[in-house]
Amino acid sequence: MKLPDLINQVLVSVGEDPSREGLVKTPQRVAKSLQELTSGYRVNVDKLINDALFDVPYSEMVLVRDIDFYSLCEHHLLPFFGKCHVAYIPDGQVVGLSKIPRLVEAYSRRLQVQERLTSQIAQIILKKIKPLGVAVVMEARHLCMEMRGAQSKNSPTVTSAMVGVFRSDARTREEFLGFINGKR
């Protein structure tokens, strides 16, 4: 069965008439939307990085902060979204800066839980760039928590992944946290 046919069945199941004027094209629209929102499954990370690794003798923190991201909760298929902050300390290689937001998007465009998403971003950077350390902090609003269930508004969820020197060196970790909290 094709995705638009399934969406049509969902509309009927919730008590709607899929032949109603406003809903006639909804199954196709939802199918197209879901394909876009889950496009991360079709991203080849090696091609995404696309030879954007450069030998550079730089060993200080590289931080890309306030990366907007949107994802779908794998439990309810409702959006969660927010900001992601990614830092790494190079060990002889840097990556093109635009690749970091693209990696965040590639992993967020999958059915996710925020905790796994945070770790996946840190692990792929660790694997591909081989830095001395990686830090990722994500802050998100979850519509599955705000619109249904607990209906807890304005309660963002914060997750972090600290690897290498960001885990072992408190000063490095504090420097990163200071940068993302606007103290530097």
Side-chain angles (χ1 to χ4, degrees), residues 82-93:
K83 300 281 185 191
C84 180
H85 315 285
V86 179
Y88 72 97
I89 298 182
D91 188 18
Q93 269 194 326

Side-chain angles (χ1 to χ4, degrees), residues 37-132:
L37 295 172
T38 59
S39 61
Y41 291 116
R42 296 175 295 284
V43 172
N44 179 319
V45 174
D46 291 324
K47 284 185 180 179
L48 184 146
I49 292 176
N50 194 24
D51 299 324
L53 292 173
F54 307 101
D55 293 332
V56 176
Y58 186 76
S59 60
E60 298 296 324
M61 188 182 310
V62 176
L63 167 65
V64 180
R65 71 178 190 192
D66 295 328
I67 302 166
D68 289 322
F69 75 92
Y70 303 87
S71 193
L72 288 176
C73 160
E74 69 181 31
H75 301 136
H76 305 99
L77 297 184
L78 288 172
F80 68 96
F81 57 93
K83 300 281 185 191
C84 180
H85 315 285
V86 179
Y88 72 97
I89 298 182
D91 188 18
Q93 269 194 326
V94 298
V95 67
L97 292 176
S98 70
K99 303 305 180 182
I100 293 174
R102 288 184 179 151
L103 286 169
V104 171
E105 182 174 7
Y107 285 93
S108 65
R109 295 289 178 147
R110 302 173 181 192
L111 301 181
Q112 284 285 13
V113 293
Q114 184 176 335
E115 297 87 344
R116 180 189 320 112
L117 175 57
T118 306
S119 294
Q120 285 176 329
I121 294 165
Q123 290 304 314
I124 197 65
I125 291 171
L126 187 65
K127 179 180 176 185
K128 297 297 180 182
I129 305 171
K130 298 177 178 49
L132 298 173

Side-chain angles (χ1 to χ4, degrees), residues 144-179:
C144 58
M145 192 169 81
E146 291 187 21
M147 294 176 66
R148 52 156 310 281
Q151 296 187 9
S152 178
K153 313 275 186 290
N154 300 313
S155 301
T157 300
V158 179
T159 53
S160 68
M162 306 286 173
V163 182
V165 294
F166 287 98
R167 178 177 287 275
S168 63
D169 184 344
R171 286 181 39 190
T172 302
R173 185 172 50 255
E174 289 304 316
E175 181 182 15
F176 166 70
L177 295 172
F179 281 142

Side-chain angles (χ1 to χ4, degrees), residues 18-38:
S19 64
R20 182 168 65 78
E21 181 183 6
L23 295 176
V24 171
K25 294 184 180 177
T26 296
Q28 292 79 14
R29 287 186 194 112
V30 171
K32 184 177 180 182
S33 175
L34 284 173
Q35 289 298 318
E36 182 180 342
L37 295 172
T38 59

